[in-house]
Amino acid sequence: MPALRGLFHEELELISEQLVELSKMSARALNRATQALFDADLVLAEQVISDDEEIDAVRRDLDNRAIDSLARQQPVATDLRQLVTTLRMSSDLERSGDLARHVAKLARLRYPEPVLPEELRLTFVEMAEVAEAMVLRAGEIIASLDVNGAKELQDRDDTIDRLHRDVFRILLDPKFAGATQLVIDSTLLSRYYERFADHAVSVAIRVVYLVTGVWHDELDEATYERHTSGQVPRAEG
């Protein structure tokens, strides 16, 4: 039995490593999709779109491992919570990859024309940098089981939300003279980046639940202090 438990925990570690890899793959996809968007790079856009199948494949393998472990090991307490939470986090990270693919598809659709008006380029540069950094940080939070991560990413998400509002402010300015298609495309892109960041926050919030057994918005100060001060290990119930 101890040997079986050891194998089970090795499987849990592998699943966690796959989640971290998914975060890196999604971040890389967004980085390259953004480059394709700004440079009107059709070849790179096509590569991002085709590479999304690799993200899907890792997600499927991860989910199959988790479901198989649920069926074979009948885990309880923290192990059960980890497996169930893993399924939700893998979905968040896979959807992040889908959003990067959407950015690349829009770049491909408008090629060789620019997708963004010049007035919005700097806003989207910052939005892309923050969103990419957020999903990479989400991977680090998974690896370290960092309970502080949810608050950190929520703060960063405030920046994304501000930039999202800035996009609408610029588009709705009477001085903006862009064509209707530019307005539609810019609105869609802003939503893609905003949702990408939301998925990173969702992952970090799920880590809080995994570690403490309590949802982030229900976590009392005493429980939070125990888990962030190193006084207690992961919750067992």
Side-chain angles (χ1 to χ4, degrees):
M1 184 64 71
L4 289 177
R5 292 298 297 172
L7 290 173
F8 175 53
H9 283 285
E10 287 180 10
E11 188 76 358
L12 291 180
E13 289 178 9
L14 178 57
I15 289 171
S16 179
E17 290 171 2
Q18 285 184 300
L19 282 173
V20 175
E21 180 60 23
L22 268 179
S23 73
K24 293 177 181 178
M25 294 174 75
S26 294
R28 184 166 58 249
L30 187 69
N31 179 280
R32 299 171 81 185
T34 301
Q35 184 180 340
L37 179 73
F38 288 147
D39 298 343
D41 189 329
L42 180 61
V43 173
L44 188 56
E46 292 282 10
Q47 190 169 357
V48 172
I49 294 166
S50 62
D51 285 352
D52 186 62
E53 294 180 4
E54 296 180 14
I55 295 177
D56 294 343
V58 173
R59 189 265 173 100
R60 284 194 300 270
D61 183 66
L62 188 159
D63 286 358
N64 287 338
R65 287 178 181 274
I67 292 170
D68 185 60
S69 293
L70 282 169
R72 289 187 299 105
Q73 299 293 339
Q74 297 182 333
V76 296
T78 302
D79 291 338
L80 176 60
R81 190 161 61 244
Q82 179 173 351
L83 288 170
V84 174
T85 305
T86 288
L87 293 170
R88 302 298 298 274
M89 290 193 287
S90 70
S91 176
D92 278 313
L93 294 170
E94 187 267 335
R95 289 176 183 174
S96 296
D98 287 344
L99 290 163
R101 183 187 63 193
H102 292 337
V103 173
K105 281 187 172 182
L106 194 51
R108 181 179 66 178
L109 179 65
R110 300 296 174 225
Y111 177 83
E113 299 298 322
V115 181
L116 292 170
E118 192 61 37
E119 296 95 324
L120 286 175
R121 287 182 67 88
L122 289 178
T123 302
F124 274 94
V125 167
E126 184 178 359
M127 188 178 286
E129 289 176 350
V130 175
E132 180 185 345
M134 285 177 68
V135 81
L136 285 173
R137 181 69 182 112
E140 295 172 353
I141 290 166
I142 292 169
S144 62
L145 297 176
D146 184 359
V147 177
N148 292 301
K151 177 64 168 61
E152 176 189 338
L153 287 193
Q154 283 178 322
D155 289 343
R156 293 196 196 185
D157 193 49
D158 289 341
T159 300
I160 291 288
D161 291 341
R162 173 181 59 77
L163 293 168
H164 188 49
R165 291 192 296 270
D166 285 348
V167 169
F168 284 92
R169 178 180 55 78
I170 292 170
L171 293 175
L172 294 173
D173 191 318
K175 297 179 182 178
F176 180 74
T180 301
Q181 191 63 62
L182 284 175
V183 174
I184 295 171
D185 291 347
S186 299
T187 301
L188 281 173
L189 284 169
S190 187
R191 180 59 174 163
Y192 295 156
Y193 285 101
E194 189 261 343
R195 287 297 300 149
F196 190 96
D198 283 346
H199 285 304
V201 174
S202 178
V203 167
I205 288 174
R206 296 188 197 286
V207 169
V208 174
Y209 176 70
L210 167 60
V211 174
T212 68
V214 182
W215 287 110
H216 174 67
D217 57 356
E218 299 173 351
L219 194 64
D220 63 81
E221 191 64 28
T223 303
Y224 179 80
E225 287 296 328
R226 288 200 306 275
H227 284 278
T228 56
S229 65
Q231 295 179 24
V232 295
R234 291 157 56 181
E236 295 301 326

